[in-house]
Every structure is written in structure tokens, then in C-alpha cells.
Amino acid sequence: MGVTMDGTKQQRRGNTRQRIQDVALELFAEQGYEKTSLREIAEHLDVTKAALYYHFKTKEEIIVSLFEDLTQPILDLIEWGRSQPHTLETKHEILRRYSQALVGAEPLFRFMQENQATVRELRIGDAFKDRMRDLRDIFIDPEAPLVEQVRCISAMFTLHAGMFVMQDVEGDSEKKHEAVLEVAMDLVTQAHQGARKES
């Protein structure tokens, strides 16, 4: 967010926007996207509908803005990754950063998983697939053996699985997170060693 001459006001407005996004996402998750109205979101926030309108005119705008905000770190990561050498260190760093981006975007991804029809309608799904494709492209070596490319892609999906599949497994969420990241790192290390053996 750019800081204007009046940085404090800009930030405070940013916070209202974020509060709207957070509350909307909670309501969408609890009672479904279709059943939630802008009026309800305003009531939960204890603001007038006009105040809500100042930031968002429709529910779609809220979800699309959430998608853009929460996947921005993934876009930043892709941008960064494109300028890096295809080394093991780079790949480990990509996984670390991607893992953090996923944690920040977890409520949104849960929404996307549970509301696939809405996601298709709003075309967020397409944008997300493009982001995943771009991430894959900075992550795999096209000249590496196929098995090693699959290992690299599996590392990315390990992080996704960790987010969804592990959430109802017993244990401390921080520790689960570390374990998932470690497995992803191992896969990439294996892929890297395998590719070097072949070359």
C-alpha cells in the first residue's frame, strides 16, 4: 500500500477494508457465500451499509480483493524467483516463502475449496491456476529428468496438503507446519541430487 501525504488516514482506511474482508470471509465460511448479504456484513462490523459501500459495492468485489491481496505474496515470489539462478538454495527459499504466503492466505484457500462453484463464476480459479503455473515454471528445471520435475511439483503440493489435510490431525499447528515444510524441502533436495546424477 502506497503511503500518501496523509499516511495515517490511508492506513486507517486500509484497516477498515481489511476488517470488512475478514468478517465477510468468516461469514462466507460459516453460512455460505450465497446466503450472506452485504447488509449482514455491515451489521457484524457495526458500520452502516453506506460505509461498507465506500469500500466495496458487491460481495464479488470483496472476494476478488481478498484474492488479490492474499495472493500478492505469491506474485512477489514469482517475480523474485524469475531473477534467481536455478539452485537448490533458491528452491529452498521459494518453498519457505511460499509456505508463509499459504499461511497468510489459508482462510481464502479454504473458502475456495468449499465454494468451488462461486470461485468458478468469479473466475478466481483461473487466476489462481495461472499463478500456480508461473510458480511451477520458476520451480522446476525443464531440462531435469521427469521424475525430478514431479518431485519438485510434489513439494509444492505437499505444502497445499499440509494446509488442508493436516488441519484436523492432532498436534501443534506450528510443529505440523514445520514438519510439512521439512518434507517439501527433502523432496526438492532429492530432485536436485537426482537431476545432477543424470546430467
Side-chain angles (χ1 to χ4, degrees), residues 5 18 27 29 72 89 110 128 162-163 175-176:
M5 290 296 284
Q18 265 176 327
L27 287 172
Q72 186 58 45
E89 288 69 37
R110 196 162 297 137
F128 186 64
M163 192 166 55
K175 284 202 171 67
K176 284 195 284 193

Side-chain angles (χ1 to χ4, degrees), residues 11 19-20 49 93 121 127-129 136 139 174 177:
Q11 222 168 353
R19 275 178 54 229
I20 296 168
K49 204 171 162 195
E93 186 56 29
E121 251 166 66
F128 186 64
K129 278 186 203 123
R136 180 198 65 197
F139 201 57
E174 193 60 38
H177 195 73

Side-chain angles (χ1 to χ4, degrees), residues 13 22 27 37 43 70 72 106 111 115 129 136-137 150 154 156 168-169 175-176 181 197:
R13 212 172 77 200
D22 293 345
L27 287 172
S37 67
E43 280 167 8
L70 292 179
Q72 186 58 45
E106 193 172 343
F111 168 84
N115 297 272
K129 278 186 203 123
R136 180 198 65 197
D137 291 345
V150 172
S154 300
M156 278 169 57
D168 46 8
V169 173
K175 284 202 171 67
K176 284 195 284 193
L181 184 56
K197 246 187 260 146

Side-chain angles (χ1 to χ4, degrees), residues 3 13 24 33 38 55 63 73 79 86 104 130 138 141 158 171 195 199:
V3 175
R13 212 172 77 200
Y33 177 79
L38 280 178
H55 294 279
I63 279 293
E79 202 56 40
H86 267 292
D130 289 342
I138 63 166
D141 298 312
T158 297
S199 59

Side-chain angles (χ1 to χ4, degrees), residues 60-90:
E60 284 94 314
E61 277 183 26
I62 299 177
I63 279 293
V64 171
S65 72
L66 262 164
F67 177 79
E68 282 167 1
D69 290 1
L70 292 179
T71 60
Q72 186 58 45
I74 299 174
L75 285 180
D76 296 343
L77 173 56
I78 291 162
E79 202 56 40
W80 175 83
R82 281 184 177 140
S83 64
Q84 302 303 311
H86 267 292
T87 61
L88 184 57
E89 288 69 37
T90 299

Side-chain angles (χ1 to χ4, degrees), residues 139-158:
F139 201 57
I140 62 172
D141 298 312
E143 62 280 356
L146 199 52
V147 169
E148 309 315 342
Q149 292 187 35
V150 172
R151 277 202 178 104
C152 277
I153 292 170
S154 300
M156 278 169 57
F157 283 110
T158 297

